[in-house]
Amino acid sequence: MTEQILKTHNLSKAFGGVCAVKDFNMEINAGRIRGIIGPNGAGKTTIFNLLSRIYKEDEGTIEFAGQDVTSKSQIEVARMGLSRTFQNTRLFVGLNVLDNVKVALDHDGKYSLFSALFKLPFRNKQERMIKEKAMSCLELLNLDEFAKLSPSNLSYGYQRRVEIARALANDPKVLMLDEPAAGLNPEETSMLMDFIKDIQAKYPNLAILVIEHRMELIMNLCDHIYVQDSGLTIAEGTPAEIQSNPKVLAAYLGEEE
Amino acid sequence: MALQLTINGISIGAIYALIAVGFAVVFNIMRFSNFAHGGMISACAFISFFFQRAFDPPPPFFVTVLFSAVCGMGIALLIDTLGYRRIRLKNSPKIYYFLMSLTFAILIEQILTVFFGTDIYGFPSVFKSQTFEIGSMIFKTMNIVILAVSVVILVALVWMINKTKIGLAIRAVAINADTSRLMGINSSVIVTVIFIIAGVLAGVSGVFLGVQYGVFPSVGPSMMLKGFIASIIGGLGSLSGAIFAALALGLIEMFLTFFIGATEATVILFGIMLAFLFIRPQGIMGIIVEDKA
Amino acid sequence: MSAYQTGLIVQISITIMTVVAVFAMTGLAGMFSLGQAAYMAVGAYVTFVLSRFLDIPYPITGIISILISILLSWIIAVPTLKLRRDYFALITVGFSQMILALVLLFEDFTRGSIGFSKIPRMDNLLLVSLVGLALIIFWIRNLKYSRFGRMCIALKNDEIAARSFGIDVYHLKIKIYVLASAIASFAGILMALRNRVITPDSFGWAQSAEMQIFLFFGGTNSLTGAILSAGGLKLLPEFVRDVTLFGVSMQEYRTIIYAILIIIVINFRPQGILGEKEINFKWLKNLYRRFKQSILKKNESYD
Amino acid sequence: MKKLLLVLLVLIVVLPLAACQGEPAEVAEEVEEVAEEVGEEAEEVAEEVAEEVEEVVEEEVEDLEPIVIGSIQDLSGPASIPGQANAWGAEYAVQVINENGGINGRMLEIITLDCKNDLNEGINAYRKLVDEHEVTAIIGPPLSNPASGWVELSEEDQVPIVGHFMDEVCTTDPDTGEAYPYMFLAEPSCSSQSFAIAKFAMEELGLTKFATLYNTGNAFAVAHAKPFMEYVVDNGGEVVGEETFTWADTDYSAQALKIVQAAPEAVFLSDYVNQAALAYDFLRDAGYEGVILGANTLALPFPDLVKNEVYDLYYLQNYDMLNPEAGGYELFTTHMEDVGTDYPKSNAGFGWDAVQVLVAAMRKAEDPTNGPELRDLLEQTDGVELAERTITIDPATHRPSNMGMYIADYDENMQIRILTYIEP
């Protein structure tokens, strides 16, 4: 399990002259959880947007599953198995929980628009398969009881879980979580952290990348952490190393003042 | 001949510019195309007509323009209050703004049609057409007035946006509403300012259209599409782009109509627009406006 | 049934057809078009002009006209659907103007503004419209509950999130737009058969706007809502023909009333009258069950 | 004297009763009762009257049912200005006819529906009149757009339609030239109107070089401009410019410039009054100083709409409306008073005329509600008295063969001045 699934080299991006990310280098292996921490405006979400190809980088390379993906589109890397969540919950209104999970599988549904319109038997068979797969994903994460509910009827913590389940439905190679605990109360937060650990256990080959600005949350979740401040990586290492790093403390204390 | 066409093209381009900038200003901040702008223009044309007719002798032209601008402002704020405010507060999807503006466009045109559509109105004889000649060129006095007023208004607007404090705030909100809120800019004040500007523009263009083309319910909406095309070619939301594109549009249209024909011009203009989007989707001036990530 | 009533039913079927197509486009995929009436014009004109001048039976030219609509909508979609929605909406307005200009330009064939008349009588038009309507509703219903429908709803909500699930937003939008345009052109053919004459004025942007208004009134997420509001709002003015208010016939106010209704609906119930509800057998069964329960309860309380 | 009063009294009581469609026997009884009350001496008289009334009432009962005709007009929509005047004219005509005893004793009933200048609405209105109100005939709108949908329907339903759809395509098949059997036009058609003004310009003004400026989006405008150009070319004139615009255009300066360059002696404008006024201004602003000719839409309030001086403008008029000597004077002044408008509107005359044509045929018919019979009679319309002149319909085209047009201009006070009458 030493295969490097996702790797960046000197990744940089600036907006209107303001540098959002500068020379970002990281790598993550299958089955591991790594974290990116840093105060607000440190460029964490920009890194995610670069990795998922929403933004195009100014410089640097991204290597995913052994391929250079810098020239690929958002859709292509998503289909290669790079899955992510967003900072604000982005469940689709108008679809129930099960359908929200199905959406993640739909892009490689096998039936055509024609058989969809006429509701041909082939379509029904495929639909059943999609449903089974989505249900098994929900069952695995103990969310199956909510399948028929509208997401807006769920608590915020459960909405997050559904979102993560949706991101996992298509068996991705990398899961990127953007501030998964934002807006949750302490109880919900700790439940979510258990949930993520649980995922790691259930998907042994999955690499997970987590963004968080509250350090304490991911200290016991990740085995390796990158610390970003104003676009630069100021430190990296194990949680223990990070906790004792004076630069990190300065950045964080500086923020708290 | 080409010179005369150029002069005519610039005159109509100036009117397109007023309309296009009216859209662009709203689009800049609110990120939706305000279809109601055409209806506002029609309403202002009617208001200024009745205002002009209510007095004997009629008030000077600039008074009518000012009055119409104030009314345009009022209508714009009313539409904002009745139509857009709740959508904004609820943070509903953009498509509702779009539909709301469309509904207001239809509503205003229908109200004018039902209550005033059974009569025909022309601006009183104060505006008897006058032309003067320089060499072989014929200039229409009214065109010159419109051109001058448009230039003054547009320059003032661009100056305001680029040089004043409130302009800075507008630009900040246009770039990023969330961040500027953090910076302490009250975005609801900005929205009000935007609608005031749009209303003034609608009021002024209403008088001009009424004087130039007559007072009827569809006078605004019929010009609306041209304003839209200009704002697309200029790059949605870009003020200077819209002005530039509007003038270009006026000229192109004038030459096409002259050399090919009016009906053909409609088809060719659409082709140009489509090709333009294909080749240079960001418009003349600029940046592709993308949905925020 | 009198010819007046069948005529009305055909007209309403046509309206519902177009609104159902707009439901697929706007309600599902979030594309706001103001040019659907132009595709009706393409369907009507191409079918009957070709049929007359090439002497081909109109069912065949009808198919040709739908194919041409598909081609046209594809040409429009390819450059514009890459861009934001606003561009698309504006382009469709321009497109409908262009189609009407073309009708005037080719007046030797279309007879321009005077109108293309002498369209053959179709005896079973009522049957054809109703079967066509049923088929189209069946299609769009299936679409909504297929993977395409789900992907559409996803991209309407949030294009970037949709892309992050590997959904090819651009091509999906093109597909749906082409489908909606094909349906619109079919409706245009039926409208020509009903009116027996085609004039360019029948296909202005006001007609396209009316379709959107009907859709939003019923609810963008509800197919049955769209169907009911299209049928109801289209029929309403026929019933108020003789009612007057302030000495003006209510018919004159109808558009004003629609507009005010829409403003109220968007302000206070943006999801439309039916919201996300679909009226189907299950819904009716639930309603019936609740109704029965409440009666039982009442009876109990009497005991 | 007393006896006479008594008879009068009895009649006053009886007639309304009779009008209330009571059974003849009942009415007679009631009359007797009333008479009893009045007094013994009147009994004799009352009996006599009762007998007479019984006879009259019996006769009337057969035919009491009024003849229902429909009227489809642009009460709203872009053409509501002419449409409402048209509707008024038709309704007023029916009122006058009923006051004068109806059609051979039978009353007329007119049901007016709105078609909004919209094809779909026009067909709905038509279907409603034919299927629900079972009308015998229909008075049509002043514009052709809604009417073009009825050409085949009227034949299928055998309902004659008399109206003012001036485009030839509403009365004759453009491909074969044959008349649509149930469509009848009661005013000079677009082309005969255009011929009239072209004839005037060529013969009276002696002009030969013409240009046209018209709205290709408006059927009315196209149907005027094309025949105008035809006439000019056929009669040795020259068309040096044909410029067009559409509804979407508001600026015609390029077209005006082109016309000025072509240097015609006269320009023919054809469109509704708003656009015509605009076109006039653009032409004058571009430096055009020649003659301008126009369709009948250039009537009042045209001079109020234009911003240039009105000069060398000649246009078509259907009636000599404000001339107290002319036949239609009373009609047009009544209309102006009734609706409270400042301008006389020819459309009031159109509505009136259409009803006259229809009623003349009904009077001759054995069964005035029989569509095919009416149709045959309408085809033979000959010398029927209208608001101002008489009409004879050509059976081959279903359009009037004897109606000409006035040519008018504006005097220095911007009042209409009728110049001449051009025979067809």
Side-chain angles (χ1 to χ4, degrees):
Chain A
M1 295 256 280
T2 50
E3 186 201 353
Q4 285 173 351
I5 186 81
L6 185 64
K7 190 176 163 187
T8 66
H9 179 69
N10 285 351
L11 202 58
S12 302
K13 175 80 185 172
F15 291 106
V18 180
C19 163
V21 178
K22 180 89 180 133
D23 292 336
F24 181 66
N25 290 296
M26 65 144 267
E27 55 199 44
I28 186 166
N29 292 353
R32 291 304 174 88
I33 303 184
R34 287 197 167 188
I36 302 174
I37 63 170
N40 276 326
K44 303 179 305 272
T45 299
T46 308
I47 293 174
F48 266 25
N49 285 343
L50 284 168
L51 290 174
S52 56
R53 313 307 302 138
I54 294 172
Y55 294 154
K56 184 133 186 57
E57 75 292 322
D58 297 333
E59 270 171 60
T61 55
I62 303 167
E63 207 176 282
F64 174 50
Q67 282 187 47
D68 182 6
V69 295
T70 30
S71 60
K72 292 217 170 356
S73 71
Q74 191 193 349
I75 297 166
E76 281 168 316
V77 292
R79 290 184 177 183
M80 284 168 69
L82 187 88
S83 193
R84 69 170 288 184
T85 65
F86 292 88
Q87 207 163 11
N88 310 315
T89 317
R90 287 187 173 185
L91 287 169
F92 300 127
V93 182
L95 295 175
N96 64 24
V97 168
L98 179 62
D99 283 343
N100 259 293
V101 177
K102 281 184 189 171
V103 164
L105 303 166
D106 279 331
H107 71 84
D108 66 18
K110 294 290 180 290
Y111 61 91
S112 66
L113 184 60
F114 182 80
S115 49
L117 292 182
F118 286 96
K119 221 180 171 192
L120 299 181
F122 179 65
R123 172 252 177 218
N124 297 341
K125 204 174 132 203
Q126 290 289 320
E127 262 309 294
R128 267 200 302 280
M129 281 169 60
I130 292 174
K131 190 180 171 184
E132 272 165 27
K133 203 167 169 198
M135 268 321 272
S136 68
C137 172
L138 284 175
E139 276 162 17
L140 193 63
L141 301 173
N142 302 321
L143 292 165
D144 47 320
E145 55 184 307
F146 308 118
K148 292 284 173 199
L149 290 180
S150 162
S152 54
N153 294 337
L154 297 181
S155 75
Y156 210 57
Y158 275 103
Q159 287 191 26
R160 272 287 147 77
R161 291 190 193 191
V162 171
E163 222 184 346
I164 295 172
R166 184 175 66 174
L168 284 171
N170 207 23
D171 289 329
K173 297 190 178 76
V174 174
L175 173 67
M176 307 197 295
L177 302 173
D178 192 349
E179 305 229 1
L184 301 188
N185 62 33
E187 196 188 341
E188 284 175 327
T189 307
S190 75
M191 278 170 74
L192 190 81
M193 291 305 144
D194 294 341
F195 182 73
I196 295 172
K197 279 187 189 152
D198 189 38
I199 289 172
Q200 198 191 13
K202 282 169 176 164
Y203 293 84
N205 284 323
L206 180 73
I208 301 177
L209 195 58
V210 188
I211 285 181
E212 191 47 72
H213 75 278
R214 287 178 289 176
M215 213 191 307
E216 65 277 12
L217 287 184
I218 51 173
M219 282 305 164
N220 47 11
L221 196 64
C222 305
D223 35 39
H224 194 91
I225 293 170
Y226 300 89
V227 186
Q228 291 291 114
D229 189 22
S230 310
L232 295 168
T233 311
I234 54 169
E236 68 168 293
T238 61
E241 285 165 15
I242 295 296
Q243 258 167 333
S244 57
N245 188 318
K247 266 192 194 166
V248 177
L249 288 175
Y252 265 81
L253 288 174
E255 200 212 8
E256 272 162 25
E257 265 172 44
Chain B
M1 190 46 55
L3 206 56
Q4 181 77 56
L5 280 175
T6 310
I7 292 166
N8 291 354
I10 289 175
S11 315
I12 187 143
I15 295 185
Y16 290 163
L18 275 184
I19 299 173
V21 168
F23 294 135
V25 161
V26 176
F27 188 88
N28 224 330
I29 301 299
M30 313 280 292
R31 291 278 179 258
F32 77 96
S33 308
N34 185 14
F35 269 96
H37 201 78
M40 277 154 56
I41 292 172
S42 288
C44 290
F46 272 88
I47 288 170
S48 55
F49 166 73
F50 284 115
F51 177 76
Q52 186 82 29
R53 207 174 61 169
F55 299 96
D56 193 32
F61 185 53
F62 76 91
V63 176
T64 311
V65 173
L66 280 180
F67 179 77
S68 175
V70 171
C71 289
M73 220 155 81
I75 295 172
L77 291 178
L78 187 72
I79 291 178
D80 181 44
T81 315
L82 292 180
Y84 305 137
R85 207 176 57 92
R86 286 187 75 95
I87 305 181
R88 201 161 53 238
L89 294 180
K90 279 197 209 159
N91 229 340
S92 300
K94 284 279 175 286
I95 198 156
Y96 288 109
Y97 283 112
F98 200 87
L99 186 80
M100 190 60 106
S101 72
L102 192 70
T103 312
F104 268 105
I106 294 170
L107 180 68
I108 295 174
E109 193 178 338
Q110 278 300 312
I111 288 176
L112 293 175
T113 310
V114 169
F115 294 100
F116 305 103
T118 46
D119 236 320
I120 302 164
Y121 310 93
F123 256 88
S125 50
V126 195
F127 302 113
K128 277 290 175 218
S129 193
Q130 285 167 333
T131 52
F132 57 90
E133 291 178 31
I134 299 176
S136 62
M137 296 299 111
I138 300 177
F139 291 90
K140 225 166 137 177
T141 322
M142 204 61 220
N143 277 348
I144 304 297
V145 172
I146 291 176
L147 196 62
V149 175
S150 310
V151 168
V152 169
I153 289 179
L154 295 178
V155 167
L157 191 63
V158 171
W159 175 80
M160 186 193 126
I161 299 233
N162 288 328
K163 299 276 172 232
T164 63
K165 228 175 165 182
I166 186 107
L168 184 71
I170 290 175
R171 278 181 295 149
V173 175
I175 292 167
N176 191 331
D178 297 326
T179 318
S180 47
R181 202 174 303 129
L182 291 175
M183 284 156 59
I185 297 169
N186 186 343
S187 65
S188 72
V189 171
I190 297 298
V191 169
T192 309
V193 171
I194 283 305
F195 275 101
I196 288 175
I197 296 174
V200 167
L201 288 168
V204 174
S205 25
V207 184
F208 290 164
L209 287 188
V211 171
Q212 283 281 65
Y213 304 120
V215 182
F216 48 95
S218 61
V219 65
S222 69
M223 300 289 276
M224 191 172 68
L225 187 69
K226 300 283 166 56
F228 269 141
I229 295 177
S231 65
I232 286 187
I233 296 180
L236 274 177
S238 155
L239 298 194
S240 42
I243 297 171
F244 190 70
L247 291 175
L249 183 71
L251 283 171
I252 293 172
E253 197 183 31
M254 198 57 67
F255 277 88
L256 278 179
T257 310
F258 187 83
F259 288 107
I260 303 172
T263 321
E264 291 87 342
T266 313
V267 179
I268 295 171
L269 271 181
F270 180 75
I272 292 177
M273 186 165 76
L274 206 58
F276 204 89
L277 280 184
F278 201 71
I279 301 161
R280 198 176 160 78
Q282 64 272 47
I284 302 177
M285 283 297 160
I287 330 136
I288 301 186
V289 190
E290 284 261 18
D291 288 311
K292 232 189 124 253
Chain C
M1 202 164 15
S2 77
Y4 167 67
Q5 286 156 340
T6 54
L8 264 189
I9 293 173
V10 171
Q11 191 190 6
I12 284 161
S13 317
I14 294 169
T15 310
I16 295 178
M17 244 178 245
T18 55
V19 173
V20 166
V22 170
F23 169 81
M25 187 176 59
T26 312
L28 290 180
M31 287 178 281
F32 203 105
S33 160
L34 287 175
Q36 290 315 95
Y39 290 105
M40 294 177 75
V42 171
Y45 272 106
V46 171
T47 303
F48 294 100
V49 170
L50 276 190
S51 164
R52 168 107 28 109
F53 288 97
L54 300 181
D55 209 12
I56 305 172
Y58 68 81
I60 295 171
T61 54
I63 292 166
I64 297 175
S65 81
I66 293 175
L67 292 176
I68 290 178
S69 295
I70 288 174
L71 184 70
L72 275 177
S73 55
W74 185 78
I75 293 172
I76 300 294
V78 165
T80 42
L81 285 178
K82 273 194 182 137
L83 309 170
R84 304 176 37 100
R85 286 171 189 157
D86 306 75
Y87 286 98
F88 175 71
L90 299 182
I91 286 288
T92 57
V93 180
F95 173 70
S96 71
Q97 288 228 330
M98 184 196 71
I99 291 292
L100 297 187
L102 282 175
V103 168
L104 297 180
L105 214 53
F106 290 102
E107 62 174 334
D108 292 347
F109 300 102
T110 62
R111 297 202 190 286
S113 51
I114 286 169
F116 189 82
S117 59
K118 292 217 302 179
I119 285 167
R121 183 190 170 89
M122 188 187 200
D123 287 320
N124 41 10
L125 181 62
L126 179 67
L127 189 71
V128 172
S129 334
L130 287 178
V131 169
L133 177 64
L135 185 68
I136 286 164
I137 292 178
F138 176 70
W139 279 358
I140 302 300
R141 189 200 153 275
N142 289 345
L143 180 73
K144 184 181 170 181
Y145 294 115
S146 73
R147 71 188 184 99
F148 296 98
R150 288 192 297 267
M151 291 195 288
C152 283
I153 294 174
L155 80 85
K156 177 180 74 168
N157 271 278
D158 189 335
E159 286 197 15
I160 287 168
R163 276 202 207 99
S164 76
F165 295 110
I167 296 172
D168 189 346
V169 170
Y170 173 57
H171 287 105
L172 182 60
K173 275 180 169 178
I174 293 182
K175 271 182 199 155
I176 300 297
Y177 180 59
V178 167
L179 176 70
S181 306
I183 295 176
S185 72
F186 175 67
I189 300 171
L190 290 183
M191 190 156 123
L193 283 167
R194 181 192 108 98
N195 292 348
R196 309 283 290 280
V197 56
I198 323 167
T199 56
D201 314 7
S202 323
F203 306 105
W205 77 283
Q207 273 70 22
S208 306
E210 195 182 66
M211 298 174 199
Q212 297 284 354
I213 286 182
F214 288 169
L215 172 71
F216 274 80
F217 188 71
T220 44
N221 286 328
S222 168
L223 177 60
T224 36
I227 294 170
L228 290 178
S229 81
L233 289 182
K234 191 78 196 173
L235 209 54
L236 189 70
E238 276 303 307
F239 289 123
V240 297
R241 251 186 200 288
D242 310 321
V243 186
T244 56
L245 185 72
F246 304 125
V248 186
S249 159
M250 280 298 272
Q251 278 220 297
E252 289 213 36
Y253 289 110
R254 81 178 170 152
T255 320
I256 296 181
I257 294 170
Y258 289 167
I260 292 172
L261 281 179
I262 289 292
I263 290 169
I264 294 171
V265 164
I266 298 177
N267 266 324
F268 298 103
R269 202 178 153 76
Q271 65 274 47
I273 293 291
L274 273 191
E276 285 170 31
K277 268 191 217 93
E278 291 287 2
I279 294 176
N280 49 25
F281 288 119
K282 218 163 98 192
W283 186 84
L284 287 174
K285 227 160 66 188
N286 279 341
L287 193 75
Y288 174 70
R289 201 185 303 142
R290 239 180 291 162
F291 178 69
K292 221 163 68 179
Q293 272 169 0
S294 71
I295 286 189
L296 281 178
K297 250 185 219 153
K298 241 184 222 162
N299 286 347
E300 275 165 26
S301 64
Y302 283 132
D303 294 340
Chain D
M1 192 62 207
K2 209 178 169 190
K3 216 171 169 185
L4 194 73
L5 262 174
L6 214 62
V7 172
L8 263 176
L9 190 72
V10 169
L11 276 177
I12 289 168
V13 180
V14 164
L15 279 180
L17 283 174
C20 289
Q21 302 186 11
E23 289 291 312
E26 259 178 41
V27 177
E29 259 173 48
E30 275 172 62
V31 172
E32 272 169 314
E33 273 172 32
V34 173
E36 263 172 52
E37 279 167 31
V38 172
E40 291 278 314
E41 40 183 315
E43 214 169 305
E44 240 176 87
V45 185
E47 262 167 39
E48 269 169 45
V49 173
E51 270 165 37
E52 267 171 46
V53 167
E54 210 162 328
E55 275 166 34
V56 173
V57 170
E58 248 169 22
E59 239 177 56
E60 265 183 28
V61 158
E62 276 182 355
D63 295 341
L64 254 179
E65 196 117 305
I67 303 170
V68 185
I69 61 172
S71 169
I72 304 179
Q73 304 291 353
D74 300 297
L75 299 181
S76 63
S80 60
I81 299 171
Q84 288 181 350
N86 235 51
W88 180 91
E91 281 166 15
Y92 182 66
V94 167
Q95 185 193 331
V96 171
I97 286 163
N98 283 343
E99 278 166 10
N100 292 314
I103 294 168
N104 308 330
R106 271 179 87 167
M107 293 293 118
L108 267 183
E109 189 188 328
I110 186 164
I111 298 167
T112 308
L113 293 185
D114 183 7
C115 62
K116 304 190 181 92
N117 192 24
D118 178 279
L119 192 64
N120 275 312
E121 293 291 337
I123 287 171
N124 286 345
Y126 171 91
R127 288 258 67 107
K128 184 152 183 156
L129 285 176
V130 171
D131 298 331
E132 310 241 302
H133 296 290
E134 298 180 341
V135 296
T136 302
I138 291 174
I139 302 298
L143 297 179
S144 307
N145 191 354
S148 54
W150 313 334
V151 292
E152 274 133 350
L153 301 180
S154 61
E155 188 177 347
E156 285 155 21
D157 299 316
Q158 300 190 327
V159 175
I161 300 178
V162 185
H164 291 271
F165 18 79
M166 291 160 66
D167 297 355
E168 269 95 37
V169 291
C170 295
T171 39
T172 49
D173 185 328
D175 296 326
T176 62
E178 275 173 34
Y180 291 114
Y182 283 82
M183 302 291 287
F184 295 91
L185 179 66
E187 86 171 292
S189 68
C190 283
S191 59
S192 62
Q193 298 201 10
S194 300
F195 290 166
I197 188 111
K199 192 173 170 189
F200 170 79
M202 297 185 83
E203 290 174 11
E204 311 258 327
L205 301 177
L207 307 176
T208 52
K209 266 175 83 180
F210 294 92
T212 52
L213 178 55
Y214 64 97
N215 180 352
T216 45
N218 186 354
F220 172 89
V222 178
H224 271 81
K226 298 266 177 206
F228 179 89
M229 291 184 279
E230 254 168 56
Y231 184 94
V232 167
V233 172
D234 290 349
N235 288 278
E238 193 191 347
V239 178
V240 293
E242 179 187 352
E243 292 304 314
T244 60
F245 51 91
T246 61
W247 292 118
D249 299 322
T250 36
D251 192 291
Y252 318 147
S253 52
Q255 290 94 323
L257 213 54
K258 236 170 141 180
I259 288 178
V260 172
Q261 269 201 328
E265 291 168 322
V267 181
F268 180 59
L269 297 183
S270 78
D271 201 356
Y272 297 154
V273 64
N274 268 325
Q275 286 78 8
L278 211 52
Y280 183 91
D281 274 332
F282 274 112
L283 277 174
R284 293 297 191 213
D285 285 342
Y288 177 74
E289 285 166 354
V291 171
I292 292 183
L293 307 167
N296 59 359
T297 44
L298 269 67
L300 288 172
F302 180 81
D304 293 343
L305 297 181
V306 298
K307 294 177 196 72
N308 282 278
E309 207 185 321
V310 176
Y311 63 92
D312 284 348
L313 170 75
Y314 304 96
Y315 71 99
L316 292 155
Q317 277 276 31
N318 291 70
Y319 306 98
D320 190 359
M321 292 185 281
L322 292 180
N323 177 3
E325 324 255 288
Y329 181 74
E330 207 191 317
L331 174 72
F332 294 111
T333 45
T334 314
H335 174 242
M336 284 161 71
E337 272 169 36
D338 212 32
V339 208
T341 158
D342 301 337
Y343 317 115
K345 285 183 176 138
S346 337
N347 295 89
F350 296 161
W352 169 278
D353 286 356
V355 172
Q356 301 306 326
V357 172
L358 184 62
V359 162
M362 283 179 166
R363 287 212 165 106
K364 279 189 274 175
E366 277 175 35
D367 174 6
T369 57
N370 182 338
E373 191 191 353
L374 275 182
R375 188 207 88 84
D376 293 340
L377 290 166
L378 279 169
E379 215 164 49
Q380 296 153 24
T381 298
D382 188 5
V384 169
E385 193 106 1
L386 300 184
E388 211 179 284
R389 2 190 114 242
T390 61
I391 182 172
T392 299
I393 284 180
D394 179 355
T397 60
H398 287 192
R399 297 192 281 266
S401 59
N402 67 328
M403 292 178 91
M405 292 294 291
Y406 290 106
I407 305 295
D409 71 349
Y410 290 102
D411 63 19
E412 52 280 4
N413 300 319
M414 291 302 131
Q415 291 307 307
I416 299 171
R417 182 168 59 193
I418 298 288
L419 298 175
T420 173
Y421 178 76
I422 304 285
E423 294 289 344

